[in-house]
Amino acid sequence: MPKTLSRREALALGGAAFVGAVTLLAVGSESAFGDVQHGSMPVTPWPEAERIARSVKRPRIPHRSRSVTEFGAVGDGTTDCTQAFKNGIAALAQKGGGQLTVPAGTYLTGAIHLESRIDLHVEKDATILFSTDPNAYLPVVYTRFGGEECMSFSPFIYAYGKHDIAITGEGTIDGQASTTAWWPYTGSATWGWKPGMPTSDADGAALDAMAEAGVPVKDRVFGAGHYMRPTLIQPYKCERVLISGVTTHRTPNWQLNPVLCTDVTVENVTASSHGPNNDGCDPESCDRVLITGCTFDTGDDCIAIKAGKNADGRRVNVPCQNIVIQQCEFFDGHGAITIGSEMTGGVRNVYARDNRCDSKNLNEGIRLKTNSMRGGFITDVHVRDLTIEEVQDAVLIVDFFYGEGPGHGFNPTVKNITLENVRVGTATYPLYAVGYADDHISDISLTNVLVDTAARSSVSKYTDNVTFTNVWVNGQKTQPPKPFANLAAAFNDIGTGTAASPGNLDGSGDYLTRDSLAAAGLAPGATMKHGAFTFTWPNSAVGSNDNVATGDETILFAGTGSQLGFLGLATHGNHSGTVTINYSDGSTSSGPLAFSDWWHTTPSAGDEAVATANAVGTGPAGSGHTVGIFCASVPITTGKTVESVELPADGNMHLFDMAIG
């Protein structure tokens, strides 16, 4: 019998409890995590992670300290302290550097620009409160907006081309963004936009066009009269950066965004902001990054590793690499650990270990998102010792259809992704990996993964070398999914037969007889029209599989039309489920599929009768019972090309053919 662990036992096993209890299942001599113990995986690549973590250099800052109040700052929340911060930093820099402390109180300010060998130390009970006036972030500075370089509003705390800089302490850095400041620029009513208000849409489109045209960065100016939301903290082209202990709150855009930096340490930070695009930490085109002991509770991705976007990413062409993420806790957000979608310069050598996700409002665990506009690569991403309470979508998702999708000439390379020792309470998909027909994802490995409850089976399309080792989902040891080339390739049940070679459609020994099917015009290989659909009865040999007892199979199936028809029936009562249709442009649609019980010739589930035939066998009705065969359909998007179909997870629904009409 399964052993159900208490919350305390679950904590001891994985560091964080699942939703409810964690179940470890024993089946014969096999058990979940029984053959590979926690921490006993092969050492490669983890010695490299350890080497990177040790190699990240911390800033060297003199033991010299001044308080910002010495330069006129007043912590009353209303006095403008911008000049006090500027003067304090300048005075310390003139002496060779040191620590500018911010004592208890609330200090209103505009942009703060750090110099080399400066530590901005925000003490406990101190808050740096940033102005909501965009003019407080002018003149423009050299920055990035959405992965493209430009001259725009200064990030709230900024440094360009500096070395040995730090932001430390136990205080709060409050961007003061809200539905009345910064967030309405998204153009979304959710974030406070109202008709007649400006948005950043035109600015974003103009920057995209400038980047594609190769306009020099100095000429891409978006300052006064423009509406780009700046990031909260952005060291740009800096060496030896430390962000430690502080809490970030109410940010206009991304919270922590080091760009083109080397040796970055982010430790014990609480990134807590639920606004639009409020990613927690976005290292972009950086080398040697350590993110450790942090807490993320965000309105977008918790950690998002980036490397520039599209033409601008190809121009700069600097990867983000050698990154270690450890001992962090993730609450709300889109993805806990995300790569992309701005990853054109490439991302490699990412190691995440000993992390936990403790929220019911997290969309994905590990999220890789890209498309054929990005190009670039994502390689060597390794995750181990991860505990997830709940994700609404996938534990691991590799999404080639984020944004523009396929067909733009810059297919990405994604390969060598590993998950080890991962424990999950609830998810929709354990794995969701979908590449392109001309650009496969390769080398995904899941080892020692337990998903207590998953609503759907894993999805893997246009992938190579996907391996599962000791992967348990819904109490069953599972193997990687494979899309079937056509419906016949997925046949897994013998529904028709003869006395010499009987079938077993319903699991009770009952089956459709070949002679009665032939009399109804359904001989093997025969076609039959029903409404807009032309079906072909399976051309299977006697005693061979001739239908799919549906179980989340993905079938490659191409065509255009307005409806997708299914020839089939249900056993053991009426049954229904959801069909998902995937289109060649990366979009999807879904609809309910329902079949009536075959033992009744009159449809009652919203389907239509196609034919009747005799059933025989050892079932309760014995030989000669007349049963029904039905047609059900779901709408498809007119003008789009169907690429594949995901069947419902209900083995009492049996499909003999599909057709588009």
Side-chain angles (χ1 to χ4, degrees):
M1 293 294 292
K3 178 186 178 184
T4 301
L5 302 184
S6 68
R7 184 175 179 86
R8 178 173 294 181
E9 289 173 315
L11 283 165
L13 269 173
F18 300 155
V19 179
V22 177
T23 302
L24 296 184
L25 292 132
V27 182
S29 61
E30 296 182 307
S31 65
F33 303 101
D35 54 344
V36 186
Q37 295 299 316
H38 180 82
S40 68
M41 297 301 300
V43 293
T44 303
W46 299 104
E48 178 65 9
E50 190 62 34
R51 185 196 67 77
I52 292 169
R54 290 196 305 265
S55 74
V56 178
K57 299 180 180 67
R58 297 170 75 90
R60 301 186 295 267
I61 296 173
H63 295 289
R64 181 183 295 113
S65 181
R66 301 284 298 274
S67 172
V68 71
T69 57
E70 298 177 45
F71 300 92
V74 179
D76 60 5
T78 58
T79 301
D80 186 351
C81 302
T82 305
Q83 195 62 42
F85 279 103
K86 182 177 181 179
N87 292 346
I89 290 168
L92 284 166
Q94 189 175 27
K95 296 289 187 180
Q99 184 181 79
L100 182 67
T101 63
V102 183
T106 299
Y107 299 84
L108 180 68
T109 184
I112 297 173
H113 289 189
L114 300 180
E115 298 291 339
S116 296
R117 309 194 78 185
I118 296 294
D119 172 15
L120 179 64
H121 185 74
V122 189
E123 295 185 346
K124 186 177 181 180
D125 298 324
T127 296
I128 299 178
L129 185 69
F130 283 95
S131 171
T132 59
D133 181 3
N135 293 315
Y137 307 96
L138 295 174
V140 297
V141 300
Y142 197 113
T143 184
R144 279 191 185 184
F145 180 82
E148 295 173 318
E149 294 189 322
C150 62
M151 308 298 295
S152 188
F153 294 109
S154 173
F156 288 5
I157 300 178
Y158 177 74
Y160 184 88
K162 307 302 179 182
H163 62 84
D164 300 290
I165 61 173
I167 302 164
T168 65
E170 299 178 62
T172 298
I173 299 171
D174 187 344
Q176 211 177 174
S178 68
T179 54
T180 59
W182 298 111
W183 293 348
Y185 292 168
T186 61
S188 169
T190 300
W191 301 113
W193 179 84
K194 296 177 182 178
M197 285 185 172
T199 76
S200 62
D201 291 348
D203 292 335
L207 179 57
D208 287 345
M210 288 178 178
E212 289 294 325
V215 173
V217 176
K218 66 180 180 63
D219 296 326
R220 307 176 192 176
V221 181
F222 296 88
H226 295 273
Y227 306 99
M228 289 183 173
R229 291 172 292 133
T231 55
L232 184 72
I233 299 174
Q234 187 186 76
Y236 207 110
K237 291 187 178 179
C238 295
E239 299 177 4
R240 296 180 296 280
V241 176
L242 171 65
I243 305 173
S244 177
V246 295
T247 295
T248 56
H249 184 50
R250 296 196 296 179
T251 66
N253 204 332
W254 299 345
Q255 298 181 56
L256 315 177
N257 178 215
V259 179
L260 292 162
C261 294
T262 57
D263 295 304
V264 177
T265 301
V266 180
E267 65 181 15
N268 304 324
V269 168
T270 298
S272 178
S273 188
H274 275 239
N277 309 109
N278 279 190
D279 296 7
C281 182
D282 293 41
E284 189 167 7
S285 299
C286 293
D287 190 10
R288 295 193 300 275
V289 179
L290 176 63
I291 303 172
T292 182
C294 297
T295 300
F296 297 95
D297 190 8
T298 68
D300 207 305
D301 293 319
C302 295
I303 293 174
I305 301 166
K306 300 179 181 291
K309 176 183 172 184
N310 299 353
D312 223 41
R314 285 182 279 277
R315 176 184 63 83
V316 177
N317 196 31
V318 175
C320 205
Q321 62 186 7
N322 302 321
I323 300 164
V324 176
I325 301 164
Q326 62 185 22
Q327 298 168 359
C328 292
E329 187 168 19
F330 303 93
F331 289 97
D332 292 4
H334 291 181
I337 299 172
T338 295
I339 298 174
S341 68
E342 301 87 355
M343 41 63 65
T344 301
V347 175
R348 61 187 169 214
N349 305 338
V350 178
Y351 304 89
R353 58 188 183 182
D354 301 306
N355 297 292
R356 54 191 282 179
C357 303
D358 290 332
S359 173
K360 296 182 180 181
N361 298 310
L362 185 65
N363 290 358
E364 285 106 7
I366 309 301
R367 183 188 193 198
L368 280 57
K369 52 181 178 176
T370 183
N371 59 54
S372 69
M373 287 283 281
R374 302 291 184 262
F377 57 84
I378 301 174
T379 63
D380 298 291
V381 178
H382 305 286
V383 178
R384 79 171 188 188
D385 302 328
L386 171 66
T387 302
I388 297 174
E389 180 177 353
E390 180 175 348
V391 285
Q392 295 176 10
D393 193 11
V395 177
L396 167 62
I397 182 169
V398 185
D399 180 4
F400 274 31
F401 295 86
Y402 187 87
E404 290 87 349
H408 296 280
F410 297 98
N411 282 351
T413 296
V414 178
K415 65 180 181 179
N416 201 18
I417 316 298
T418 67
L419 268 64
E420 305 172 6
N421 299 345
V422 177
R423 292 165 169 80
V424 182
T426 302
T428 298
Y429 299 97
L431 167 68
Y432 191 98
V434 180
Y436 301 146
D438 61 345
D439 180 22
H440 288 203
I441 303 161
S442 65
D443 302 299
I444 296 177
S445 172
L446 273 62
T447 302
N448 262 23
V449 175
L450 183 145
V451 182
D452 198 44
T453 303
R456 301 289 302 272
S457 299
S458 293
V459 173
S460 177
K461 304 175 191 173
Y462 302 125
T463 58
D464 299 319
N465 195 28
V466 177
T467 61
F468 283 11
T469 303
N470 206 34
V471 174
W472 292 74
V473 179
N474 294 333
Q476 300 293 323
K477 198 169 187 179
T478 64
Q479 294 301 317
K482 294 181 180 179
F484 293 95
N486 49 54
L487 189 68
F491 285 167
N492 56 14
D493 179 63
I494 303 173
T496 67
T498 65
S501 184
N504 187 9
L505 185 63
D506 66 354
S508 301
D510 295 315
Y511 59 91
L512 291 159
T513 63
R514 285 222 163 189
D515 56 351
S516 65
L517 286 167
L522 297 176
T527 60
M528 171 177 283
K529 284 190 66 67
H530 181 81
F533 307 111
T534 300
F535 295 111
T536 301
W537 191 255
N539 191 15
S540 301
V542 176
S544 300
N545 290 332
D546 56 17
N547 72 92
V548 178
T550 64
D552 248 341
E553 296 87 356
T554 297
I555 314 297
L556 299 180
F557 189 78
T560 59
S562 61
Q563 287 188 314
L564 180 61
F566 299 87
L567 184 66
L569 52 82
T571 57
H572 303 291
N574 295 351
H575 285 268
S576 63
T578 299
V579 170
T580 299
I581 298 98
N582 302 295
Y583 301 96
S584 59
D585 65 354
S587 63
T588 64
S589 65
S590 61
L593 177 66
F595 277 123
S596 299
D597 188 326
W598 72 323
W599 224 247
H600 308 286
T601 58
T602 302
S604 58
D607 49 0
E608 299 175 354
V610 172
T612 59
N614 289 338
V616 299
T618 60
S623 299
H625 187 86
T626 302
V627 295
I629 300 164
F630 306 99
C631 173
S633 64
V634 296
I636 57 178
T637 304
T638 303
K640 291 191 175 185
T641 301
V642 175
E643 187 172 75
S644 64
V645 179
E646 297 175 33
L647 302 180
D650 186 339
N652 286 308
M653 298 176 68
H654 298 263
L655 298 184
F656 295 95
D657 196 24
M658 298 190 301
I660 290 180

